[in-house]
Amino acid sequence: MTTPESALAAGHHPAPAFAHFRLLRLLGKSAQTLVWLANDPRDDSDRVLVMPRAQVTDRARLQRHLETARLAMRVTHPGLAPAVEIGEHDRWPFAAYERGNASTLLEIGGSQGSPALDVARWSMQLLDGLAFAHEAGLAHRDIQPAMVSIDGNGRARLMGLQVAVTPDASPAGEGGHSVSNLQAQRRAAERDVLAFGLVLHYALTGQHPLAQPDTAAAIALMPPQGREIVRLPWTTSRPIPETLRVIANRATDRQQRQRYHSARTLARALEGWVRAEEATDGGPLALLIDRLRRNGALPSLPGSARRAARLALMERERTIELAEVVLQDPALCFELLRAVNTAEVRGAMIAGSGPVLTIRRAIAMVGLDGVRRAALSLRDWPGGLSSGAATQLEAAMDRAQRAAQIALSLRRPGYDAEVMYLVALLQNLGRLVTCYHFPDEAAQIARLMQPAPAEHGAADEPGMSEQGASQAVLGVDIDAIGAAVARHWGLDESVLHMIRRFGPEAAVRAIESDDDMLRATGSCANELVDALAMPAHHATTALQRVAQRYARALGVTLRDLQLTAQGKSLHGGDHEPGPARHAA
């Protein structure tokens, strides 16, 4: 029997017929489906036909296939191409789509790939539609570059949802949803997201991953079925921004647990990156600033705000004691720093001065009544968080405060203790506000950072870095979040420099300025706390790495770090709690 594919390959003239269409050109194919450019002589319009690669010979299966396809037509979304016709010819079911001025990704994807922002924008449209279909209980099952339609205005649609269905599946809406059916739907949805990650790879590079034009063939070579790894190459014809690289690589990660498990989470990561790149409203940073205005940076720890409010009613001579209480609550510290670093306040009260980075100075500026107002403005713990999210935030605050205390132990003589404490604390600003304002995303980031136990005695699979995990989930790195908040408060570039921790791969060289000393000391303290939080069999190696990184810059040894972790000061005996006791 002559197939549509063989008819065109044989060079039939005029163009071979398929139902009432004339087949013009094969646009793409996979092991499952064919994508044709066709003409409809009835109105002389071009159509894109998507059909299975093989006939559905069993009449009952064909009928189920068509019923399911027609039900899929009811799922309408701007990111999903609507089928203008569903039918079958010679037991080949098909869906017809308008061609218009659109082209498939396979047609426009040259060897250089497409511009990163363009790819991210149309990917967001497609993923939003794919997520909508998944939530309606439908999976695509054969996402390919030839299924992606993009018009001249950058409007993208995904074709084939009405065709790439399993012929044996019952039509949606019939019968109950058994556990096995729901599991199968979830697995199919996750496979769709993986296939889309391969399409994203192709769009950015212009090269088929693993040299496989069929995404299903590439998936078969990847873990857990195969051993091939799909990652974006470092050298590409067009530059790929680092955060977008992280997002794309996570979509095809060799560890299944690290991949995106839903189209919605991949879309949100891309949206976060696009909004940050465009610096427009609606991205995670803009959303965060809006939430800061409404809810503050953090909720006050239990009892801290009330204690500070009571102390603010005492005599002025108790300022040092008041500062010590404030320093015990990160939320109140941050609120005072915000209050005194706005351009209006600095311009009116300390014209020509730089940012305020001590609590004592902040108290002197706003007065005791100002401290009381700041304390009472904070939301009570846990600020609307669920119990699990509150536990997550509390643990992050504990770690930040411990790092700030360790920074005091590492502090060189002559450096103000409050400044040192606050720099180390502010190096956790991005992590803390993410835990409070994006708790679900913070939990995802934490999961991505966890190492995966390996089998058969092999080394554990490493988790992602915090920066990489944040980029993969939110589309921006955790330090950029902290910098956006600090900039919103009015802190200048010198402070933004100090509160940005050294990246995990960054070299820590000799210190050239006081700002660099404060930054390096705080960063070392925070890395030390992160290392101590690791499982015992990883902690020793992590501590050695911290010592090696900061040996030249700070003159510390592994033994020094072990002593500071025990509360010992390197420059003046045992470390006493309470940063105000160490004020210069």
Side-chain angles (χ1 to χ4, degrees), residues 489-534:
W489 289 345
L491 298 173
D492 67 13
E493 291 301 321
S494 67
V495 179
L496 296 181
H497 170 73
M498 287 189 288
I499 68 174
R500 179 176 283 274
R501 289 171 56 175
F502 287 98
E505 306 301 326
V508 184
R509 298 183 174 87
I511 300 301
E512 297 180 355
S513 68
D514 289 339
D515 287 356
D516 287 340
M517 176 60 75
L518 290 165
R519 180 191 182 196
T521 305
S523 191
C524 179
N526 276 291
E527 287 185 34
L528 175 58
V529 171
D530 289 345
L532 294 171
M534 293 182 177

Side-chain angles (χ1 to χ4, degrees), residues 2 18 64 86 133 204 215 221 313 320 345 365 475 510 546 562 573:
T2 301
F18 179 83
R64 288 197 298 271
I86 293 289
L204 290 170
T215 58
L221 298 175
L313 298 177
I320 294 178
V345 170
M365 289 175 61
V546 176
Q562 290 170 336

Side-chain angles (χ1 to χ4, degrees), residues 44-128:
D44 195 27
S45 60
D46 285 346
R47 296 281 187 262
V48 176
L49 301 184
V50 182
M51 64 186 72
R53 188 72 179 266
Q55 289 174 302
V56 182
T57 56
D58 181 82
R59 176 56 63 179
R61 291 175 60 194
L62 176 62
Q63 188 61 33
R64 288 197 298 271
H65 189 116
L66 292 172
E67 289 174 3
T68 304
R70 292 188 178 103
L71 285 169
M73 288 182 68
R74 301 178 186 176
V75 179
T76 58
H77 186 278
L80 299 173
V84 296
E85 184 179 347
I86 293 289
E88 65 92 10
H89 173 69
D90 199 16
R91 300 197 175 183
W92 253 290
F94 67 87
Y97 303 90
E98 288 186 355
R99 171 72 163 180
N101 69 341
S103 300
T104 70
L105 177 59
L106 204 58
E107 292 177 283
I108 64 176
S111 60
Q112 294 185 340
S114 300
L117 266 175
D118 291 348
V119 172
R121 289 189 186 105
W122 59 250
S123 293
M124 288 158 49
Q125 301 172 41
L126 297 175
L127 286 164
D128 197 40

